[in-house]
Amino acid sequence: MPDAVRPPRPSELDQLPDRDPQETAEWRESLDAATAHAGGERAAYLLRRTVEHAQHTGLPVAGPLETDYVNTIPTSAEPAFPGDEAMESRITAWNRWNAAAMVTRGSRYGLGGHIATFASAAWLYETGFQHFFRGKEGAGSGDQLYLQGHASPGIYARAFLDGRLTEGHLDRFRQEAGGDGLPSYPHPRRLPWLWEFPTVSMGLGPLSAIYQARFNRYLTHRGIKDTSGSHVWAFLGDGEMDEPESTAALALAGREQLDNLTFVVNCNLQRLDGPVRANFKIVQELESQFRAAGWNVVKSLWGAAWDELLALDTTGALVRRLGEVPDAQFQTYATRDAGYIREHFFGASPALAELGRLVSDARITELFTASRAGHEPRKVYAAYRAAVEHKGAPTVILAQTVKGWTLGSGFESRNANHQMKKLTGKEFRAMRDLLELPIPDSALNDELVPYAHPGADSPEARYLQERRAALGGPAPARKVHPVGLPAPADKPFDVLKKGSGSQEIATTMAFVRLVKDLMREKETGRRWVPIVPDEARTFGMESLFPSAGMYSPLGQTYDPVDRDQLLYYKEAADGQVLNEGITEAGSLADFTAAATSYATHGEPMIPFYIFYSMFGFQRTGDQFWALADQLGRGFVIGATAGRTTMTGEGTQHADGHSHLLASTNPAVVAYDPAFAYEVGVIVKDGLRRMYGPDADQQENIFYYLTVYNETKVQPPMPDGEGVEEGILKGLYRFRAAAPDADAPRIQLLASGTAIHWVLQAQQILAEQWGVAADVWSAPSWTELRREAMECDAAALRGEQRVPYVTRALSGAPGPVLAVSDWMRQVPDQISQWVEQDWSSLGTDGFGISDTREAARRYFGVDAESVVVAALAQLARRGEVKPDAVRRAAEAYGLA
């Protein structure tokens, strides 16, 4: 059926009464007339102008998700440039040179490095450093800069120019073993005075930046610190935006109107191996995505050389052609001569061909190979100024550049330039000439290209330092002003030490109750930041809803359905709980912002992030490494832990390995406490180590505690010396066997909820088999291993130190059997330092859906299975009769 006679499709507007159908028909007729008289493009232009006018007058009309492939800010609307453009061009030239020299010099050692990214983004950074990025020496906290990891050579080059780095530092780029080198990328743990935020695990930077901006607002709304003067800037690559984490929280930023946040996407149209969108247009795709999420979008695509040509485009043919050419073809244009461009670009239509005849070959080459807005400070400044002045929404700047810009034809727009690690002498000479740097040929005769500096007292150095002083000091910079927090009162911890009496509670609930009490502390209570990914009720945290409130910048604009209940759902602008919805990645980004607030804002916060343990280190392990790199502090709680405690949940919920994953992260202090009092001892010591009154002794670590949703009577803490030390070191004797000199002996070690199976096994062994078993609680297999490894390392230095685990078990009679709700490899971490015969039981394999009892029998870790395994160990030693194992297995249905 021809389009002209197709019936109109149903519209949602058909549901709304039309108060004046005749007027509606007249508007339609006007549009039809415009189309017939001036063409579809003119009619579409009129519609867009009308929508734009409606928006400017305050009418609630949604604009288009995609606009033409031109600059959002026309040249006529650009603000005056406030700086000395010639001076800033010279500064940028020095930085370009030294960044390339640093990587090239390092390549002789095979160390590599990236040149092309900074070359494309140099003006994006320099404009910010000269005019926008606030340092930490002014009022407030300064700005937070998430800098693109592959551009780090340029940031080092600028720090060299402003006197914070020396040639010696630059020559130790990627050479850290000696202790004074520069890390490859932004790594705060390796260079803590310079870098604040690790970003080179691509995708994590944008996600973290959004939650940092959100956390800044949280601090203000809760009265902790006024962060209204801080702006978060995230510099990203267009290829990086394919990472799911890059766009995971765009809607959050739009929904909460985070106008303290700006993304700068370097749209050089290339990822690591080739075009980002070879057959499409990444800028247009990103524009639609960000606009749909509620962001303000500023496209900064074309340089000033395009102004004349765009003004000549009276038919719209040029704009139409710019919008239809795929990105990969634009890359080709950037490497070809004017004849090729005339044929393949301007030859697309007669109107374009006519337009092309008005332009010289030299201008055509300039347009397509050089004139990008991201390489012109006036264009970049206009975009940044529009971003910081926009209110009510975050801003993304889509800045078009050429990857490898100024590095020569061998680099610019080449698919392989991400992997190109050095320039030849000829290329350096060409770069020197292009940048007009005063470097004589004699300095370039040697094989080793020199660094270049105009001098500490040069006009360039003085200008740079004056601009940074006006903006609040050097940037990037990480400054920690140590703040010690007073130790909390003993009462909350003493409650756990007394046990639960006859009441059965899970260790999850013990932890939640402890934190709830600590949140009432006068000095430190407001600094706790509870973070939960939409499972607060699962973890028994609903009591925090009305007392602490859940953070929402809008407060509570509705009447909650459970308002008449004691534990109703309460949101508040000053709410303390961050209930993030179903997003572990977002919750951990929240945690990271809170965990590093002591450095970012000089305000120590105490976050605890509680989640299904299976969905922690397994799902977001990369973020935990970034958290460690960023020197974060706080408590990470893996709840519903273990492979057999999640009744009925099955394979993808049953965690039996997170302690293995946690053990690989050097910043993680991991515990698997068995009892409530162990939780209290661990948390108290964690507060001391991370936040204690002596700020100079605070450690850049974070704690991982696994807690269980299995209710048990919680015993009081045993009397006697060494219990607290044993809890913290990872092992102590919880219950000795009844004295029996003639009984075979065995040592049973257990962590977490497995202690209950082992205690039951202890009783069975004594009553039915005449075996005396000592039961040990092992709150941390990982801490035992790390301390033992330190002792081994000391031995290689000639020091004689016996590992704690060896000393603790020294003289304990019989073999050792370790049991946990984890894979055997978790307790097996310490086996080599145990002098006794060693064996272990665990939950290796996939989790299953069943009752706890059935699952434990399936994995062979229930009490009866522990008994049989203990008898087997003793039988191998000849301490019980061999048939005891068979008889026990048959009696318990295990044979």
Side-chain angles (χ1 to χ4, degrees):
M1 182 183 295
D3 289 342
V5 295
R6 285 184 185 275
R9 291 186 301 175
S11 166
E12 69 273 12
L13 296 177
D14 296 337
Q15 304 172 76
L16 306 177
D18 189 343
R19 295 184 298 177
D20 192 341
Q22 183 176 349
E23 182 182 36
T24 303
E26 290 173 356
W27 277 76
R28 288 173 172 169
E29 290 169 5
S30 296
L31 180 61
D32 291 342
T35 304
H37 175 72
E41 289 188 12
R42 176 60 181 172
Y45 177 84
L46 291 173
L47 274 178
R48 287 174 52 190
R49 276 297 194 187
T50 302
V51 170
E52 182 180 71
H53 177 72
Q55 291 177 318
H56 289 167
T57 57
L59 292 178
V61 178
L65 293 182
E66 184 178 310
T67 61
D68 289 329
Y69 203 64
V70 295
N71 294 348
T72 302
I73 305 171
T75 300
S76 60
E78 292 173 2
F81 188 75
D84 183 334
E85 192 170 345
M87 179 68 74
E88 292 178 25
S89 293
R90 293 201 297 274
I91 290 171
T92 306
W94 292 112
N95 292 340
R96 288 181 182 279
W97 177 273
N98 288 318
M102 179 175 63
V103 176
T104 298
R105 290 167 70 102
S107 68
R108 59 196 161 129
Y109 302 114
L111 294 170
H114 301 284
I115 304 177
T117 294
F118 175 72
S120 68
W123 272 115
L124 301 180
Y125 290 111
E126 193 59 34
T127 304
F129 284 127
Q130 297 288 13
H131 302 287
F132 291 93
F133 303 158
R134 281 166 288 196
K136 295 185 176 300
E137 294 175 2
S141 305
D143 288 352
Q144 288 82 57
L145 308 180
Y146 289 77
L147 305 176
Q148 198 174 1
H150 290 139
S152 61
I155 309 304
Y156 288 138
R158 196 173 202 279
F160 169 63
L161 201 64
D162 73 11
R164 293 192 293 164
L165 292 175
T166 66
E167 286 191 13
H169 287 119
L170 300 190
D171 255 356
R172 289 189 290 278
F173 175 57
R174 294 193 172 196
Q175 299 175 58
E176 297 182 80
D180 196 26
L182 300 181
S184 53
Y185 302 125
H187 293 304
R189 188 167 283 272
R190 294 301 187 195
L191 201 62
W193 60 267
L194 181 73
W195 298 118
E196 279 195 283
F197 306 105
T199 54
V200 84
S201 187
M202 288 189 285
L204 299 190
L207 178 69
S208 296
I210 290 173
Y211 279 90
Q212 181 66 59
R214 200 282 197 91
F215 188 75
N216 289 357
R217 291 277 176 84
Y218 172 90
L219 290 177
T220 299
H221 288 156
R222 292 201 49 229
I224 303 292
K225 183 172 186 177
D226 181 3
T227 63
S228 57
S230 291
H231 199 89
V232 178
W233 299 81
F235 287 80
L236 320 166
D238 47 0
E240 181 179 5
M241 298 309 295
D242 280 345
E243 289 284 3
E245 295 88 353
S246 294
T247 56
L250 296 186
L252 167 69
R255 183 172 65 247
E256 299 200 0
Q257 303 179 349
L258 298 179
D259 51 24
N260 60 340
L261 170 67
T262 297
F263 276 17
V264 181
V265 184
N266 178 14
C267 297
N268 56 39
L269 312 185
Q270 287 183 243
R271 55 188 178 198
L272 307 190
D273 289 329
V276 179
R277 293 290 183 273
N279 296 297
F280 304 93
K281 301 186 78 62
I282 186 60
V283 169
Q284 302 299 84
E285 178 182 321
L286 291 174
E287 178 185 26
S288 296
Q289 195 169 12
F290 277 91
R291 285 191 189 278
W295 288 56
N296 175 46
V297 178
V298 176
K299 291 196 292 191
S300 193
L301 308 179
W302 307 112
W306 282 85
D307 291 347
E308 178 184 1
L309 192 61
L310 286 167
L312 295 171
D313 182 31
T314 58
T315 66
L318 174 62
V319 172
R320 182 169 63 253
R321 182 65 174 148
L322 289 173
E324 67 189 18
V325 174
D327 284 353
Q329 187 62 42
F330 265 119
Q331 297 298 88
T332 301
Y333 291 150
T335 63
R336 298 299 181 93
D337 59 22
Y340 179 91
I341 298 170
R342 286 188 184 278
E343 177 183 355
H344 291 88
F345 183 84
F346 289 99
S349 72
L352 269 177
E354 181 64 27
L355 189 63
R357 281 191 282 272
L358 302 175
V359 186
S360 69
D361 283 357
R363 175 51 63 93
I364 284 178
T365 302
E366 179 188 4
L367 292 174
F368 284 86
T369 64
S371 186
R372 300 292 189 274
H375 300 319
E376 298 187 12
R378 291 178 179 269
K379 301 291 185 184
V380 176
Y381 179 86
Y384 286 8
R385 176 58 59 194
V388 297
E389 290 179 351
H390 186 83
K391 301 303 177 185
T395 295
V396 59
I397 296 169
L398 304 175
Q400 189 161 259
T401 65
V402 173
K403 192 167 185 178
W405 178 238
T406 72
L407 298 180
S409 60
F411 271 81
E412 293 171 358
S413 295
R414 301 295 176 177
N415 284 340
N417 60 21
H418 186 78
Q419 303 300 327
M420 298 164 72
K421 312 299 183 186
K422 60 182 179 180
L423 275 69
T424 65
K426 181 180 179 181
E427 289 169 328
F428 269 114
R429 287 184 177 84
M431 183 180 179
R432 183 267 320 267
D433 295 341
L434 176 65
L435 298 177
E436 299 180 347
L437 288 172
I439 302 173
D441 283 341
S442 59
L444 300 176
N445 289 333
D446 296 332
E447 184 177 333
L448 199 61
V449 63
Y451 297 115
H453 197 294
D457 197 38
S458 65
E460 293 94 331
R462 290 199 306 272
Y463 181 92
L464 184 155
Q465 290 165 359
E466 288 168 1
R467 290 302 309 139
R468 287 313 314 160
L471 287 167
R478 181 179 184 273
K479 292 184 179 295
V480 178
H481 302 285
V483 176
L485 298 181
D490 290 334
K491 184 177 178 180
F493 304 100
D494 291 341
V495 170
L496 297 188
K497 288 182 179 181
K498 294 176 181 177
S500 63
S502 60
Q503 181 186 12
E504 291 187 343
I505 66 169
T507 50
T508 301
M509 182 55 65
F511 175 81
V512 170
R513 289 182 180 178
L514 172 63
V515 171
K516 187 176 180 182
D517 288 341
L518 293 174
M519 287 170 64
R520 296 190 182 103
E521 288 281 311
K522 182 178 180 181
E523 298 294 331
T524 59
R526 69 191 185 116
R527 296 189 179 275
W528 283 88
V529 184
I531 302 168
V532 57
D534 202 34
E535 289 281 2
R537 297 183 192 277
T538 301
F539 308 135
M541 294 175 60
E542 61 267 36
S543 62
L544 294 179
F545 290 175
S547 60
M550 285 168 289
Y551 173 71
S552 169
L554 297 180
Q556 194 154 35
T557 62
Y558 60 92
D559 189 15
V561 67
D562 54 358
R563 184 64 178 85
D564 58 341
Q565 298 179 16
L566 179 63
L567 303 180
Y568 69 96
Y569 197 84
K570 177 187 175 183
E571 295 185 86
D574 61 350
Q576 194 163 355
V577 180
L578 292 171
N579 193 336
E580 290 301 358
I582 305 174
T583 168
E584 286 83 6
S587 298
L588 187 47
D590 254 337
F591 182 90
T592 301
T596 55
S597 180
Y598 74 93
T600 307
H601 294 294
E603 293 288 349
M605 304 299 285
I606 312 173
F608 80 87
Y609 164 39
I610 188 167
F611 52 89
Y612 272 54
S613 65
M614 186 69 161
F615 307 138
F617 282 86
Q618 173 171 294
R619 175 167 289 188
T620 54
D622 194 11
Q623 286 179 273
F624 279 113
W625 275 95
L627 170 65
D629 193 347
Q630 202 171 322
L631 310 175
R633 304 169 182 174
F635 295 95
V636 176
I637 311 300
T640 59
R643 188 150 280 166
T644 69
T645 61
M646 286 288 289
T647 53
E649 293 286 358
T651 301
Q652 290 185 266
H653 282 65
D655 174 21
H657 55 278
S658 67
H659 271 284
L660 282 181
L661 300 176
S663 72
T664 65
N665 190 320
V668 177
V669 181
Y671 286 96
D672 185 33
F675 303 117
Y677 66 80
E678 292 182 359
V679 171
V681 169
I682 293 164
V683 170
K684 186 176 184 179
D685 195 60
L687 290 171
R688 177 190 64 82
R689 292 178 66 180
M690 296 184 290
Y691 302 97
D694 188 349
D696 292 334
Q697 298 299 313
Q698 292 172 353
E699 300 177 57
N700 295 318
I701 54 178
F702 61 96
Y703 275 61
Y704 179 50
L705 276 69
T706 44
V707 291
Y708 297 80
N709 64 336
E710 189 170 15
T711 57
K712 295 287 184 181
V713 170
Q714 298 295 327
M717 182 170 162
D719 295 329
E721 294 183 5
V723 174
E724 288 199 22
E725 178 191 21
I727 292 171
L728 298 176
K729 288 186 175 293
L731 184 68
Y732 68 98
R733 181 153 36 203
F734 173 72
R735 183 174 297 168
D740 187 343
D742 299 326
R745 299 293 299 272
I746 189 169
Q747 308 300 313
L748 302 179
L749 279 58
S751 69
T753 198
I755 197 81
H756 302 288
W757 325 329
V758 168
L759 288 169
Q760 188 179 352
Q762 179 192 43
Q763 184 177 356
I764 296 173
L765 284 167
E767 294 177 355
Q768 299 181 21
W769 302 97
V771 172
D774 292 336
V775 173
W776 299 69
S777 179
S780 183
W781 310 101
T782 300
E783 287 301 291
L784 290 172
R785 175 179 176 80
R786 287 177 176 171
E787 191 270 346
M789 291 174 65
E790 290 173 3
C791 292
D792 286 356
L796 298 178
R797 300 190 298 268
E799 302 174 26
Q800 296 303 313
R801 290 165 50 185
V802 179
Y804 173 81
V805 63
T806 306
R807 288 185 281 117
L809 290 170
S810 178
V816 169
L817 174 61
V819 187
S820 75
D821 207 9
W822 307 94
M823 298 171 63
R824 290 177 60 186
Q825 195 172 346
V826 174
D828 284 351
Q829 293 180 85
I830 66 169
S831 60
Q832 71 186 82
W833 295 282
V834 175
E835 296 174 346
Q836 294 86 344
D837 292 341
W838 174 272
S839 183
S840 63
L841 296 176
T843 55
D844 291 73
F846 290 109
I848 63 170
S849 301
D850 214 311
T851 65
R852 290 179 180 131
E853 293 75 14
R856 286 161 187 169
R857 175 56 58 96
Y858 171 84
F859 284 110
V861 292
D862 61 348
E864 291 80 9
S865 297
V866 173
V867 169
V868 172
L871 292 174
Q873 271 194 289
L874 292 169
R876 283 193 295 270
R877 294 163 57 93
E879 296 180 22
V880 301
K881 295 180 179 180
D883 68 344
V885 180
R886 175 184 57 79
R887 289 188 291 114
E890 291 175 350
Y892 304 137
L894 294 169

